[in-house]
Amino acid sequence: MMLRSVIISLNKPYFPTLHIKTMPQCSSKNVAVIGAGSAGLVSARELQREGHNVVVFERENQVGGTWVYTPDTESDPVGTDPTREIVHSSLYSSLRVNLPREVMGFRDYPFVVKKRPGSDPRRYPGHREVLDYLNDFAVEFGINGVVRFGVEVGYVGKMENGKWKVSSRKRKNDDGVFSNEEEYDAVVICNGHYTEPRIADIPGIEVWPGKQIHSHNYRVPDPFRDQAVLLIGGAASATDISREIAEVAKEVHISSRSATSGVPMKLPGYDNVWLHNMIEAVGSDGGVSFRDGSKILADIILHCTGYKYHFPFLETNGIVTVDDNRVGPLYKHVFPPAFAPSLSYVGLPWKVIPFFLCELQSKWIAAVLSGRISLPSKEDMNADIEAFYSSMTASCIPKRYTHNMDNYQFDYDDWLAAECGSAPSEEWRKQMYFISRQNKKTLSETYRDEWDDNDLIIQAYEDFVKYIPELAQAQNLPR
């Protein structure tokens, strides 16, 4: 509760004034976009709309980023070995989205059901439906033509002439040499943040004899059959995976900060799932001790503990760093003042509606690069960042929550929209998001298939008709 109230209190000082300045001339830049997931795709579209020349670098052979499912997992199941072959996707086979599709989509390209073989018409569809949506988006706006597929970026750095050097290689060559070097006026980083696992720090883990895995490498429940599993984490993936594993495991024990009862509690509706508070230590006998004094024996520890921001290709000489998962210093989570506007990040915030937020960030970046909108001075941007950081410190908010927008994302979205001259977040989108978030807490087993906000769905589709006129007849809506 303290964290929530503090974050809400940051809204006003964090968005003090708008810095809109229409410039007399707009210029076209050569821009490199790193990554062709949802952030990279919408960035490419907005940059092109603003008149920039865009090249998108994508290490895989298709668009979609983390939404490209693969049964493959990494050689290191906890994902800490720096020499491992990286598997980009963190999807598990059964994953369904945890937001309504009406909320998820880009504003002018709604995420509606398409009548075609294999489509998933559910309001909370599976991951394949999201990938199909992103593929459709890329085709609709001609983005595939500017994507270099199967190309990995190994180096991005500022040159003396003010441009950025981007070194890359075709992955199929696999010679480890990033021999292709090019210069760009600007770089937009959209490489996602669901690839580099964060691992819980557990006292005694070096002598604990069991297996460990991070949810990044979880795909199906079968490997956990008849095992005693300790799952660490309390976010959406932890909730889904724990329920799925419970169908085959002997026992599932969930350790979470949110478990505050002080004693282990059985999860309602399950005979083999228990909720525990934080771990005290693990031992050489396979035991796991909790702070409430209880102890279990576990065969496997499954870390559903999130991810680290990771930009191994980016060289800023220590100016932009990742410190306890704070990427900074960044003005409004996007521009590092020392390099603004030629270096920017899209999609860092979490506990948000990601596609919509990325769309607004991309509009802002594109307009700033063209000179149509100006940024504050470097001094003013740094002062804004320092004020934000100081507020967090004074309120005892850890650095790792810097990009957590759980309770103020719409203030941020609307600030971006105002900067860009766009309409603010739709009221139906806000209400639908908050209702779905509440339902996840109170109806965790059924919220994806039961809801009572049909009036908001109607409002959403009335908006969607602006972009897809044929929806009016299909939904019996007025044109």
Side-chain angles (χ1 to χ4, degrees):
M1 183 60 70
M2 178 181 292
L3 179 59
R4 176 179 178 179
S5 63
V6 166
I7 289 178
I8 291 175
S9 73
L10 289 175
N11 288 345
K12 284 192 176 180
Y14 189 43
F15 308 110
T17 57
L18 303 182
H19 296 92
I20 305 174
K21 181 180 177 183
T22 303
M23 306 297 284
Q25 274 190 322
C26 297
S27 61
S28 175
K29 300 291 195 299
N30 295 317
V31 185
V33 175
I34 314 299
S38 58
L41 292 176
V42 75
S43 293
R45 186 190 70 169
E46 296 303 329
L47 288 162
Q48 288 187 310
R49 281 179 166 178
E50 193 71 20
H52 300 295
N53 302 308
V54 182
V55 173
V56 181
F57 293 86
E58 172 52 52
R59 71 192 301 273
E60 305 300 332
N61 293 315
Q62 59 178 312
V63 302
T66 197
W67 291 101
V68 179
Y69 174 77
T70 174
D72 298 335
T73 57
E74 298 176 351
S75 55
D76 176 12
V78 293
T80 57
D81 182 357
T83 66
R84 72 193 188 282
E85 177 67 20
I86 301 294
V87 175
H88 188 75
S89 180
S90 297
L91 297 178
Y92 41 96
S93 179
S94 65
L95 183 142
R96 291 174 65 184
V97 300
N98 60 9
L99 289 172
R101 63 162 71 228
E102 299 88 10
V103 164
M104 279 190 67
F106 300 115
R107 169 173 277 166
D108 62 357
Y109 194 76
F111 187 16
V112 298
V113 178
K114 291 198 172 182
K115 294 182 179 179
R116 59 184 169 198
S119 66
D120 185 347
R122 293 175 296 180
R123 192 180 182 204
Y124 291 76
H127 54 78
R128 178 70 208 192
E129 184 80 355
V130 182
L131 179 60
D132 287 344
Y133 168 73
L134 294 175
N135 275 309
D136 291 341
F137 179 87
V139 170
E140 177 73 19
F141 296 103
I143 300 170
N144 287 327
V146 300
V147 180
R148 295 182 184 174
F149 292 105
V151 175
E152 182 178 9
V153 171
Y155 175 84
V156 172
K158 192 78 176 283
M159 304 173 65
E160 290 185 1
N161 63 5
K163 294 183 181 292
W164 290 85
K165 181 168 81 171
V166 177
S167 301
S168 62
R169 69 180 176 98
K170 291 288 287 185
R171 290 189 71 206
K172 67 179 182 181
N173 296 338
D174 201 27
D175 56 8
V177 179
F178 295 90
S179 56
N180 186 37
E181 296 184 353
E182 299 170 295
E183 295 182 13
Y184 290 89
D185 299 313
V187 176
V188 183
I189 297 178
C190 308
N191 67 322
H193 49 88
Y194 295 105
T195 297
E196 193 72 12
R198 283 174 63 94
I199 301 299
D201 185 13
I202 306 173
I205 195 65
E206 64 279 357
V207 298
W208 188 74
K211 298 178 181 177
Q212 295 186 75
I213 180 174
H214 190 276
S215 59
H216 176 67
N217 288 302
Y218 174 82
R219 297 294 182 267
V220 294
D222 292 354
F224 300 88
R225 187 173 299 278
D226 300 326
Q227 301 291 296
V229 182
L230 170 61
L231 186 149
I232 305 174
S237 62
T239 301
D240 289 345
I241 292 172
S242 63
R243 270 95 169 149
E244 185 168 74
I245 288 176
E247 297 178 5
V248 300
K250 180 173 65 176
E251 301 171 5
V252 177
H253 300 270
I254 303 171
S255 173
S256 171
R257 288 190 181 94
S258 60
T260 58
S261 67
V263 294
M265 293 182 60
K266 188 170 285 190
L267 184 68
Y270 292 84
D271 292 328
N272 63 339
V273 181
W274 289 266
L275 304 176
H276 301 260
N277 61 15
M278 300 296 288
I279 297 170
E280 182 72 27
V282 296
S284 59
D285 61 349
V288 179
S289 301
F290 298 93
R291 293 179 183 176
D292 59 17
S294 64
K295 182 176 180 178
I296 64 166
L297 292 176
D299 302 303
I300 302 174
I301 294 178
L302 174 52
H303 298 259
C304 296
T305 43
Y307 296 86
K308 303 174 185 176
Y309 296 103
H310 190 53
F311 313 101
F313 52 83
L314 181 62
E315 177 54 68
T316 66
N317 295 317
I319 294 174
V320 182
T321 62
V322 181
D323 180 12
D324 192 20
N325 240 25
R326 168 186 284 174
V327 185
L330 295 182
Y331 177 63
K332 307 304 188 193
H333 306 270
V334 173
F335 290 108
F339 299 114
S342 64
L343 181 65
S344 57
Y345 295 75
V346 174
L348 296 185
W350 47 283
K351 288 201 173 181
V352 298
I353 303 172
F355 294 3
F356 184 64
L357 180 142
C358 290
E359 182 178 10
L360 291 170
Q361 287 182 326
S362 301
K363 286 180 182 292
W364 187 38
I365 292 167
V368 169
L369 285 175
S370 72
R372 188 165 60 82
I373 296 174
S374 68
L375 291 173
S377 68
K378 182 189 299 185
E379 292 74 21
D380 285 348
M381 286 191 285
N382 279 321
D384 184 274
I385 295 167
E386 285 304 313
F388 177 44
Y389 290 175
S390 295
S391 295
M392 292 185 63
T393 301
S395 304
C396 300
I397 300 176
K399 285 184 181 180
R400 63 180 179 273
Y401 289 108
T402 296
H403 306 293
N404 176 4
M405 290 191 182
D406 187 21
N407 288 294
Y408 69 100
Q409 66 165 310
F410 292 113
D411 296 277
Y412 178 78
D413 290 346
D414 291 349
W415 183 90
L416 287 172
E419 285 283 284
C420 301
S422 299
S425 312
E426 306 93 336
E427 194 59 34
W428 63 259
R429 194 186 299 266
K430 296 177 183 179
Q431 292 184 35
M432 194 178 287
Y433 172 80
F434 289 121
I435 289 172
S436 67
R437 187 176 69 169
Q438 182 60 32
N439 286 345
K440 271 187 283 186
K441 296 176 182 177
T442 59
L443 303 169
S444 59
E445 303 285 340
T446 60
Y447 75 93
R448 291 184 174 95
D449 299 302
E450 297 178 7
W451 54 83
D452 58 0
D453 59 348
N454 288 332
D455 57 325
L456 297 178
I457 297 175
I458 293 172
Q459 292 177 39
Y461 274 83
E462 287 173 346
D463 259 2
F464 295 168
V465 169
K466 301 173 189 175
Y467 312 108
I468 312 175
E470 56 269 27
L471 280 178
Q473 184 175 359
Q475 301 290 326
N476 286 324
L477 297 175
R479 287 182 179 271

